């Protein structure tokens, strides 16, 4: 066993509490619901749970708009319920990581309410600006800059109370905190220390590379709808980001206490990631990149501009991150989260013939890379996209606002619905499918978002009972990471970079070599042999496969893990 930090040997399971398990029949998942399912997590074998926000919130963005960082929202339960979840997980050897959303608060946070008064000592806790010179405050075009928000429309909101605008990179109910103000930073660190004292083992940091803004705030290229600037490079990786992250690490004792950290970083590239996750920098354990999530986006880079996935491009990108963080820094590995559609529908084949094999093969490919793998609730069952056909079925503000704005701009509603059905965040947010009963065992009430009809077949109860299920494949992959140092720390090398069907790579540690070969297509694939293809398989030991009786060809969506001799 190496002396690597503990989280480099871990597999993380993300819980989106609203959609996981409802204990009281209000149709919304809660903490007692999570507590009732900890044995399920233990059976899967994960080491860490990342809990999406359960703090007090008006729920404009399902809890990513926080009005009290130190309390639990009554929708989810009480502080005592959270403590019981922490204890229940710890008793099973599972750590708990909380979501930390500190680029912005809710507009209903008392800090912001105070800040609305220009004479308040908290005025400077948020980013207030007067109207653009020569413009009447509150009139169209008077916003201080042309920045668009990530959720459509301007990134500035006029506040009639003080006659000025505040910056919100997300919804108007999510005003950005002013990290230049040391009192803001100290308040955040004190809150984090409070959670550590309550027993949490680390933090997943929401959009953390947006906290340092580049001043002065100026107009950017008008490249978006309504002449707004949708150029996130204006707002990421600001000049004081490293300083803030180091200060946070010191003040909260992140490295000292061995806390888990992952920073969600918009537009982060490998070099930035290395600089943030280099242990010597004293910043973060790992970051979430978006690059591989944008490979099926067109030239605009916008998520709604969907193009078919290029497998060589995906391989090249994942390989670039593997190589770039091979010796310094650390990778996070994910294909799904609460902001992304279901990977089996997006990258795999969710039809009846290939759903199981493709869900397993996506898992094989991801989990045998070097880094910390993340499983998003339901991914381990091969849950699919929601299949909503009408805009009324969607809840997520990102989808509904995009639709409204695009329809107002003359776009074809049918075309929009197709794109939204493919990419909406609600695809990941439908209730967890526990069993075949009418509400999938998620709630006894009316679920806040429709349960997917295929829960009758795709559910945890059925998966646990079937040794060939996607669930058991994940369980085995997690076990392999725990068992084999080469899976945790082995060096990565990509094979067959241009192959349109096969994703193949090796992992090497000393004289142990693993080969992963995965057919990312719904057609059979020939295993190439000869120079510059795959290493010879003579005598190789098959450690894990998706299909019985492996043949010379790979079946559609078949993947195998070999130990080479
Ligand atoms: O979801 C996105 C793409 O569909 C992103 O634009 C997303 O908003 C971005 O990744 C930031 O995400 C995080 O912060 C948001 C919150 O809505 C997301 O759920 C969260 O993961 C604002 O707090």
């Amino acid at each position: 066993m190496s002396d690597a930090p503990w989280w480099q040997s871990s597999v993380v399971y993300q819980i989106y509490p609203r959609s996981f398990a409802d204990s009281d029949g209000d149709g919304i998942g809660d903490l007692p619901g999570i507590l009732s399912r900890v044995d399920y997590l233990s059976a899967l074998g994960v080491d860490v749970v990342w809990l999406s926000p359960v703090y007090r919130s008006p729920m404009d963005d399902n809890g990513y708009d926080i009005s009290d960082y130190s309390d639990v929202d009554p929708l989810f339960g009480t502080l005592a319920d959270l403590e019981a979840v922490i204890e229940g997980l710890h008793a099973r050897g599972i750590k708990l990581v909380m979501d930390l959303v500190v680029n912005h608060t809710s507009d209903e946070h008392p800090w912001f309410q105070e800040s609305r008064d220009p004479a308040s000592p908290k005025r400077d806790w948020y980013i207030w600006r007067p109207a653009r010179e020569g413009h009447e405050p509150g009139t169209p075009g008077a916003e201080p800059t042309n920045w668009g928000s990530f959720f459509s429309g301007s990134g500035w909101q006029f506040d009639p109370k003080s006659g000025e605008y505040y910056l919100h990179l997300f919804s108007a109910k999510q005003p950005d905190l002013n990290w230049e103000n040391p009192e803001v930073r100290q308040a955040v660190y004190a809150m984090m220390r409070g959670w550590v004292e309550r027993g949490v083992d680390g933090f997943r940091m929401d959009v953390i590379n947006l906290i340092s803004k580049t001043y002065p705030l100026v107009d950017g290229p008008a490249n978006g709808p309504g002449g707004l600037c949708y150029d996130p490079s204006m707002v990421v990786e600001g000049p004081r980001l490293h300083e803030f992250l180091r200060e946070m690490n010191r003040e909260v004792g992140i490295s000292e206490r061995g806390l888990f950290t992952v920073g969600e970083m918009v537009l982060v590239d490998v070099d930035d990631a290395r600089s943030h996750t280099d242990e010597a920098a004293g910043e973060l354990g790992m970051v979430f990149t978006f690059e591989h999530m944008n490979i099926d986006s067109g030239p605009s880079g916008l998520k709604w501009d969907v193009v078919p996935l290029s497998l060589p491009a995906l391989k090249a990108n994942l390989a670039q991150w593997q190589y770039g963080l091979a010796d310094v820094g650390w990778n996070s590995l994910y294909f799904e989260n609460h902001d992304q559609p279901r990977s089996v529908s997006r990258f795999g084949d969710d039809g009846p013939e290939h759903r199981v094999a493709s869900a397993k093969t996506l898992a094989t490919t991801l989990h045998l890379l070097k880094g910390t793998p993340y499983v998003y609730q339901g991914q381990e069952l091969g849950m699919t996209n929601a299949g909503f056909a009408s805009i009324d079925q969607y809840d997520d503000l990102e989808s509904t606002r995009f639709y409204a704005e695009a329809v107002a701009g003359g776009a074809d509603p049918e075309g929009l619905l197709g794109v939204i059905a493919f990419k909406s965040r609600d695809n990941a947010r439908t209730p967890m499918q526990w069993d075949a009963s009418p509400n999938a065992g998620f709630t006894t009430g009316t679920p806040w978002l429709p349960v997917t009809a295929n829960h009758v077949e795709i559910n945890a109860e059925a998966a646990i009972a079937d040794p060939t299920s996607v669930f058991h494949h994940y369980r085995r992959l997690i076990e392999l990471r725990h068992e084999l140092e080469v899976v945790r720390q082995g060096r990565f090398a990509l094979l067959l970079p241009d192959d349109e069907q096969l994703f193949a790579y090796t992992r090497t540690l000393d004289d142990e070599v693993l080969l992963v070969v995965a057919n990312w297509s719904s057609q059979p694939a020939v295993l190439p042999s000869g120079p510059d293809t795959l290493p010879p398989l003579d005598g190789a030991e098959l450690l894990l496969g998706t299909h019985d009786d492996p043949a010379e060809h790979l079946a559609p969506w078949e993947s195998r893990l070999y130990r080479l001799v």
Side-chain angles (χ1 to χ4, degrees):
M1 194 72 183
S2 68
D3 56 4
W6 63 270
W7 36 263
Q8 293 192 355
S9 308
S10 295
V11 176
V12 183
Y13 189 90
Q14 184 192 352
I15 292 184
Y16 193 67
R18 205 178 170 82
S19 306
F20 192 62
D22 173 25
S23 72
D24 60 6
D26 67 355
I28 295 175
D30 50 39
L31 289 162
I34 295 173
L35 186 59
S36 73
R37 298 293 182 176
V38 287
D39 283 330
Y40 172 80
L41 303 173
S42 183
L44 183 59
V46 295
D47 308 281
V48 177
V49 163
W50 149 28
L51 188 59
S52 277
V54 291
Y55 311 96
R56 274 192 191 264
S57 163
M59 303 291 166
D60 183 54
D61 188 17
N62 290 352
Y64 282 89
D65 48 320
I66 297 170
S67 55
D68 183 349
Y69 287 109
S70 56
D71 202 3
V72 166
D73 197 277
L75 256 189
F76 297 128
T78 62
L79 268 175
D81 292 329
L82 180 56
E83 272 164 10
V85 168
I86 297 175
E87 267 174 41
L89 291 171
H90 284 175
R92 286 159 184 81
I94 303 173
K95 311 235 193 232
L96 181 83
V97 163
M98 296 283 274
D99 221 304
L100 180 82
V101 188
V102 290
N103 172 67
H104 44 269
T105 68
S106 162
D107 65 334
E108 296 181 33
H109 195 295
W111 296 344
F112 184 75
Q113 288 304 319
E114 277 181 52
S115 178
R116 290 181 64 195
D117 174 359
S120 148
K122 292 225 165 45
R123 182 63 170 180
D124 184 51
W125 281 41
Y126 293 83
I127 301 171
W128 292 96
R129 289 290 181 277
R132 188 182 287 273
E133 227 178 280
H135 286 71
E136 185 62 29
T139 59
E143 293 80 14
T145 72
N146 65 350
W147 295 1
S149 105
F150 283 92
F151 292 153
S152 308
S154 169
W156 293 96
Q157 177 70 28
F158 181 60
D159 183 34
K161 185 169 167 189
S162 57
E164 288 194 333
Y165 291 79
Y166 62 86
L167 179 70
H168 61 89
L169 293 180
F170 294 88
S171 96
K173 289 188 66 62
Q174 293 168 299
D176 282 50
L177 280 164
N178 175 17
W179 274 71
E180 301 294 313
N181 184 327
E183 289 175 20
V184 168
R185 306 203 297 275
Q186 289 305 327
V188 168
Y189 308 149
M191 173 271 282
M192 292 171 74
R193 285 191 295 264
W195 284 109
V196 174
E197 273 148 34
R198 279 187 187 274
V200 318
D201 303 291
F203 301 95
R204 174 270 183 188
M205 303 177 182
D206 195 64
V207 290
I208 201 69
N209 67 337
L210 304 185
I211 58 177
S212 163
K213 275 49 176 186
T214 301
Y215 294 96
L217 309 180
V218 293
D219 284 342
N223 57 354
L228 291 175
C229 164
Y230 285 96
D231 180 3
S233 66
M234 300 279 301
V235 290
V236 302
E237 292 288 325
R240 297 185 71 188
L241 181 60
H242 286 290
E243 175 198 337
F244 293 161
L245 291 174
R246 282 171 200 172
E247 181 182 76
M248 175 193 281
N249 189 311
R250 252 189 344 264
E251 295 277 329
V252 182
I254 287 173
S255 299
E256 199 183 314
R257 302 182 202 223
L259 298 175
F260 180 108
T261 52
V262 54
E264 187 201 28
M265 293 200 165
V266 181
L267 277 199
V268 69
D269 63 22
V270 185
D271 292 336
D272 291 334
R274 195 183 313 109
S275 70
H276 291 302
T277 63
D278 179 350
E279 231 175 300
E283 296 185 20
L284 298 172
M286 60 193 114
V287 306
F288 285 134
T289 160
F290 283 79
E291 285 187 354
H292 65 305
M293 290 287 113
N294 291 335
I295 287 172
D296 56 0
S297 293
S300 73
L302 295 177
K303 72 178 271 180
W304 308 113
D305 176 9
V306 178
V307 299
L309 178 76
S310 151
L311 183 62
L314 178 70
K315 292 191 288 192
N317 182 264
L318 291 175
Q320 189 196 353
W321 281 77
Q322 291 284 301
Y323 295 135
L325 301 183
D327 298 312
V328 174
W330 190 251
N331 270 294
S332 69
L333 307 171
Y334 80 95
F335 280 157
E336 286 186 26
N337 62 36
H338 65 293
D339 291 334
Q340 300 293 338
R342 291 294 184 177
S343 57
V344 72
S345 302
R346 179 182 190 178
F347 300 140
D349 179 339
D350 65 2
E353 210 181 330
H354 300 305
R355 183 189 64 84
V356 168
S358 67
K360 288 181 185 175
T361 282
L362 297 181
T364 307
T365 311
L366 189 73
H367 276 244
L368 296 168
L369 294 171
K370 184 175 176 190
T372 297
Y374 288 71
V375 183
Y376 176 70
Q377 65 186 41
Q379 186 177 4
E380 76 284 12
L381 305 175
M383 274 178 62
T384 64
N385 274 355
F388 293 161
S390 143
I391 194 65
D392 304 330
Q393 288 172 290
Y394 290 92
D395 174 89
D396 179 32
L397 80 177
E398 186 193 44
S399 300
T400 52
R401 287 185 191 176
F402 164 70
Y403 181 84
E405 195 174 79
V407 168
D412 160 42
E414 280 309 306
L416 288 172
L417 280 177
V419 168
I420 294 174
F422 189 65
K423 276 295 197 67
S424 171
R425 308 198 294 183
D426 279 341
N427 286 309
R429 300 179 180 184
T430 60
M432 177 72 177
Q433 296 171 194
W434 293 106
D435 60 37
S437 68
N439 286 325
F442 165 70
T443 182
T444 54
T446 306
W448 73 277
L449 202 62
V451 167
T452 306
N454 61 23
H455 75 275
V456 178
E457 182 205 337
I458 306 170
N459 63 70
E461 192 178 61
I464 290 168
D466 173 4
T468 69
S469 66
V470 179
F471 176 90
H472 287 292
H473 191 74
Y474 268 91
R475 196 180 50 68
R476 187 69 191 118
L477 285 166
I478 295 167
E479 244 167 40
L480 276 169
R481 177 164 296 269
H482 293 153
E483 284 165 8
L484 300 180
E485 182 71 2
V486 62
V487 172
R488 296 192 292 272
Q489 296 290 347
R491 187 162 286 275
F492 167 93
L494 183 69
L495 305 172
L496 312 175
D498 302 322
D499 196 294
E500 304 270 351
Q501 261 184 307
L502 295 178
F503 199 139
Y505 60 86
T506 53
R507 299 288 310 284
T508 306
L509 187 72
D510 303 325
D511 51 5
E512 190 168 16
V513 183
L514 301 183
L515 168 69
V516 174
V517 52
N519 179 2
W520 275 53
S521 81
S522 301
Q523 285 78 46
V526 175
L527 282 177
S529 59
D532 295 327
T533 59
L534 296 176
L537 289 174
D538 318 309
E541 180 191 357
L542 183 65
L543 294 182
L544 183 71
T546 49
H547 289 61
D548 291 336
D549 307 322
E552 261 176 48
H553 291 94
L554 286 182
W557 293 105
E558 178 174 4
S559 54
R560 300 179 195 164
L561 168 67
Y562 289 104
R563 182 189 268 137
L564 302 182
V565 285

